[in-house]
Amino acid sequence: MSGPTTVPVSVPRRRRLALALLVAAPLVAVPGGFSGHVPAQLLVVALGCLVAVTVPPLGTLPRPLVVVGAAWLAVLVLAALAGDTPVASLVGRWPRYEGLPVLALYAAAAWAGARVVRPDEAWLGRALAAASVVLGVASVVSVLGGEGRSGSLLGNASDQGAVAMMAALVLARPAVRDRAPLEVVGLAAALTAVAASGSRAALVLTAVGLVVLLARVAVAPLAGLVAGLVGLALTVPSTRDRLLGSATAEARLDQWPAAIPKIEVRRAAVAGEKLLASTDPLVIAIAADYELDGRGKPVFTLDDISGLAALIEDHCGPFTQLQQRA
């Protein structure tokens, strides 16, 4: 008796599955996870790339892009090998490990996109529109919930702005040219997510991108889209404050030269290098895994948690006070 017959999935369906996984990846999250966004998103991207391997290619990455990417990769590897921590620089650090393996996955995602999407692929617009609607709704819920800048499903407001910006620019032409209902709704949702993110860079780049794409073909819709984006941005309190105020920009400028006390951490692997404490008066102590002369600064072992905690408390006050300041 023969077993059940396996029906192969058609090539077009596999292409759509790969595209759906790649488009949906930024929206994936593990609620309550220690690092609830990046690992899950990378896993979905990897699945999308694996599905893309199984279909004949529709296209390839432009050669100049491949050459520039290879040159950039060579510079990155050489810089990492020339540094003091080559393994950490190449692999990344806990808990995200966003080094070469993750960068390679990003490159694979670009390769997979070129492999499964035609330049005039209508299904790409539909998939992006659906993802934008999900992101836009989550952004509105986040803003209405009083969370300030919305990171919604991406966990980071700037990431949300970047993803929504790219979706809006891909959807702009088909939404204006064809006026397909799903693409129109998706474009509106993407612009809403950009505005809710409060990312000034995303807002500016979205407006500039719309001008570049639509200035010669649809002036009236372009004006409406830019005006709508500005109106949405001014409607969101946190975004309006960032656009009309200078507090966040001034805070960053103040942060760079700020006199912040430091604890210098030393490993035996760099024992021969000069102590930062010898020239930086803001170093208040040294924590090391080997014996050294602190030159008047207290020296702790790396596992002396209680001693380091007491030092921090002496300089900054009890932890409960720090929580109240935050």
Side-chain angles (χ1 to χ4, degrees):
M1 183 176 179
S2 62
T5 303
T6 302
V7 179
V9 180
S10 67
V11 170
R13 288 186 177 180
R14 276 179 279 151
R15 283 201 180 101
R16 291 182 179 182
L17 175 59
L19 179 59
L21 289 169
L22 293 172
V23 170
L27 306 181
V28 177
V30 179
F34 178 77
S35 182
H37 296 274
V38 175
Q41 293 164 357
L42 294 177
L43 176 60
V44 175
V45 170
L47 291 175
C49 292
L50 289 176
V51 175
V53 172
T54 68
V55 300
L58 293 176
T60 59
L61 290 173
R63 185 177 296 274
L65 180 63
V66 175
V67 172
V68 170
W72 172 80
L73 178 62
V75 171
L76 176 64
V77 171
L78 291 174
L81 295 177
D84 296 328
T85 57
V87 174
S89 298
L90 290 172
V91 178
R93 293 185 182 274
W94 182 89
R96 291 169 63 156
Y97 294 102
E98 291 189 275
L100 280 183
V102 173
L103 294 176
L105 185 57
Y106 292 158
W111 167 86
R115 188 178 179 88
V116 302
V117 180
R118 292 189 182 93
D120 59 346
E121 181 66 69
W123 211 80
L124 172 62
R126 295 169 192 160
L128 275 175
S132 296
V133 169
V134 174
L135 183 58
V137 170
S139 302
V140 171
V141 171
S142 177
V143 170
L144 293 178
E147 296 184 16
R149 292 183 68 192
S150 168
S152 63
L153 299 176
L154 279 81
N156 180 277
S158 296
D159 289 349
Q160 174 182 305
V163 169
M165 171 198 68
M166 290 185 284
L169 296 182
V170 173
L171 292 169
R173 277 202 171 185
V176 171
R177 179 189 60 210
D178 303 330
R179 297 185 180 180
L182 182 56
E183 280 81 350
V184 171
V185 173
L187 176 58
L191 295 177
T192 299
V194 171
S197 74
S199 170
R200 287 168 292 214
L203 285 164
V204 171
L205 291 176
T206 301
V208 171
L210 290 173
V211 171
V212 171
L213 290 171
L214 302 176
R216 294 186 178 181
V217 294
V219 176
L222 167 62
L225 289 172
V226 173
L229 178 62
V230 173
L232 286 168
L234 295 177
T235 301
V236 179
S238 57
T239 303
R240 182 175 63 246
D241 292 343
R242 287 174 61 83
L243 291 176
L244 302 182
S246 58
T248 56
E250 291 175 354
R252 291 186 180 181
L253 292 174
D254 292 340
Q255 198 175 41
W256 294 332
I260 302 174
K262 310 178 186 74
I263 298 175
E264 181 174 359
V265 178
R266 304 282 298 186
R267 293 283 188 180
V270 294
E273 296 184 10
K274 185 178 180 181
L275 284 173
L276 178 64
S278 62
T279 56
D280 189 344
L282 294 176
V283 175
I284 60 174
I286 302 169
D289 61 356
Y290 65 98
E291 293 186 4
L292 57 81
D293 178 8
R295 303 191 181 185
K297 306 287 177 69
V299 178
F300 298 85
T301 59
L302 291 178
D303 58 357
D304 187 2
I305 305 301
S306 59
L308 289 168
L311 173 75
I312 294 171
E313 188 171 272
D314 287 343
H315 278 78
C316 302
F319 182 67
T320 53
Q321 293 182 9
L322 294 178
Q323 284 182 309
Q324 292 171 359
R325 292 179 202 170

